Amino acid sequence: MNELLLIVVGMALVTYIPRLVPLLMLGNKQMPQFLSTFLQFIPYAVLGALIFPGVLSSTGDTSSAIAGAAAAAVLALIRLNIMLVVLGGILGAFFWGVVF
Amino acid sequence: MDNNKANSTTASDKLSAYRQPLAQGIRASIPIAVGYIPIAITFGLVAKSSGIPDYIALLMSFIVFAGASQFVGVSLIALGTNPWEIVLTTFILNLRHFLMTASLSMRIDPSVSKAWRYLIAFGVTDETFSVSSLQKEKLLSPFFIVALNMLAFLAWNAGTWVGIFLASGLPASLQASMGIALYAMFIGLLVPALKESRPVLLVVMISIGINSALSWMPLSAGLSAGWRIILSTVLAALTAAFIFPEGAGGSKNE
């Protein structure tokens, strides 16, 4: 196997293992209330950390990234379908880049 | 499969027992699939333009199936990083999935087989997890989760193919704007929940605050993006769990 192939296989393993282990080991044993509350908050915390400040460098230009993110946030606030939110984000960033 | 469960349910119950969650999973997955296509196209474009062989990029989408890992992997390969460092960075970046599947595992009936769990685990991404865990049902059907994950997987792979073959065709300006797609999708998932729940608003603000501090303070400059996300997530969720021991509130928590 060449080196690139080994890297990809290694990446696949270390991506799969954290996905699998809790599903096999934990079952749905009743967790202590605190732990379950903690886990309940995790998706929101992850989304927050994934969005910011990463979004600022998502387009290679901070102002167009802010424009795209703002467009997406407004569309999400008025509860448009998420497809339109994504499309609005892309177009927001694109047109900001074109105009300014 | 008709006779290995309790006899109390009729055949038509059984049929609807997987048809409905299957259809529901596909419906819930459409926005993810649509969100993934431009990102996967971008991935294909980036991989191709970084000089990664086509089959390596395609294989990555097929067996790794994790956007952040793949983007990081491609950029590290292009930089000629040591293979072990690439694998370790990927592992660190993916530790957050441990937290996600631990949370998801509570929403899966204990009787669900190991084979299902192996299959479910493969498709857990930030996006499929978020959509699954934001469902109102307390217990999620494995048919629902696998349908949701698999459509996202197909879109991701289709997008990668398209990206690789489009590599030279797209105008540079639009290529750059597509980088926002991933974030627009995260925003679309998060904003409605922010509107509904104060605890959620707090946890997100703490997480963003910690991640920004870690990203911008010179003291933590050596910290990888993966560790920053892990630290911000754990600290923010811990803090919120102390302040709001009863959880996020609203219909989800009942």
Side-chain angles (χ1 to χ4, degrees):
Chain A
M1 279 220 269
N2 69 42
E3 192 176 86
L4 286 180
L5 218 48
L6 279 174
I7 292 173
V8 177
V9 171
M11 285 175 64
L13 283 177
V14 299
T15 304
Y16 187 53
I17 290 166
R19 284 170 169 167
L20 180 66
V21 169
L23 281 171
L24 286 185
M25 314 287 282
L26 280 178
N28 78 343
K29 278 175 213 132
Q30 189 52 50
M31 272 193 224
Q33 172 69 34
F34 182 81
L35 189 57
S36 121
T37 304
F38 167 68
L39 290 175
Q40 195 198 356
F41 280 126
I42 278 174
Y44 307 108
V46 172
L47 282 175
L50 283 169
I51 291 171
F52 199 87
V55 65
L56 297 178
S57 46
S58 63
T59 62
D61 165 45
T62 311
S63 61
S64 78
I66 292 173
V74 168
L75 297 179
L77 261 179
I78 59 173
R79 292 190 170 278
L80 280 191
N81 186 293
I82 195 156
M83 282 179 251
L84 298 174
V85 174
V86 171
L87 203 64
I90 295 174
L91 292 178
F94 177 66
F95 285 117
W96 186 276
V98 168
V99 174
F100 296 97
Chain B
M1 99 157 263
D2 259 1
N3 43 18
N4 64 357
K5 268 260 169 127
N7 301 323
S8 58
T9 49
T10 67
S12 78
D13 281 344
K14 286 257 162 80
L15 199 66
S16 65
Y18 72 82
R19 246 197 204 160
Q20 201 214 335
L22 211 62
Q24 202 188 335
I26 290 170
R27 263 200 310 276
S29 196
I30 290 171
I32 305 180
V34 172
Y36 270 6
I37 287 171
I39 305 160
I41 291 175
T42 312
F43 171 72
L45 289 167
V46 169
K48 182 92 177 171
S49 61
S50 312
I52 308 287
D54 293 353
Y55 77 97
I56 289 292
L58 294 173
L59 188 68
M60 239 190 233
S61 285
F62 195 70
I63 68 174
V64 178
F65 184 41
S69 301
Q70 291 182 219
F71 277 104
V72 169
V74 161
S75 61
L76 293 179
I77 289 173
L79 289 172
T81 312
N82 171 294
W84 290 111
E85 256 172 63
I86 297 177
V87 173
L88 183 65
T89 309
T90 312
F91 182 63
I92 291 168
L93 197 63
N94 283 310
L95 275 180
R96 67 182 190 281
H97 287 142
F98 188 92
L99 303 169
M100 294 183 193
T101 44
S103 160
L104 192 61
S105 144
M106 296 195 339
R107 307 279 296 275
I108 295 170
D109 194 279
S111 68
V112 169
S113 71
K114 276 202 170 160
W116 270 119
R117 289 166 190 269
Y118 281 108
L119 195 59
I120 289 169
F122 178 73
V124 176
T125 65
D126 298 328
E127 298 77 16
T128 59
F129 166 72
S130 302
V131 171
S132 288
S133 67
L134 297 179
Q135 295 298 307
K136 289 192 173 66
E137 292 88 348
K138 232 177 183 164
L139 279 184
L140 301 169
S141 156
F143 289 101
F144 169 81
I145 305 175
V146 169
L148 180 115
N149 292 359
M150 281 303 124
L151 186 63
F153 176 74
L154 290 177
W156 183 252
N157 279 274
T160 307
W161 285 84
V162 173
I164 286 173
F165 295 110
L166 279 184
S168 47
L170 276 179
S173 54
L174 194 61
Q175 281 179 36
S177 309
M178 291 203 319
I180 196 96
L182 178 71
Y183 295 96
M185 201 172 78
F186 290 147
I187 291 169
L189 289 173
L190 191 54
V191 165
L194 292 181
K195 242 170 100 181
E196 263 175 26
S197 161
R198 294 253 154 236
V200 168
L201 184 63
L202 178 86
V203 78
V204 169
M205 286 174 58
I206 298 173
S207 179
I208 284 178
I210 297 172
N211 195 27
S212 305
L214 293 175
S215 307
W216 293 327
M217 281 188 328
L219 197 68
S220 51
L223 217 53
S224 71
W227 275 117
R228 280 195 272 113
I229 288 167
I230 290 167
L231 277 177
S232 316
T233 300
V234 171
L235 291 176
L238 270 180
T239 312
F242 273 115
I243 302 177
F244 299 101
E246 68 290 347
S251 54
K252 269 180 53 41
N253 199 33
E254 256 46 82

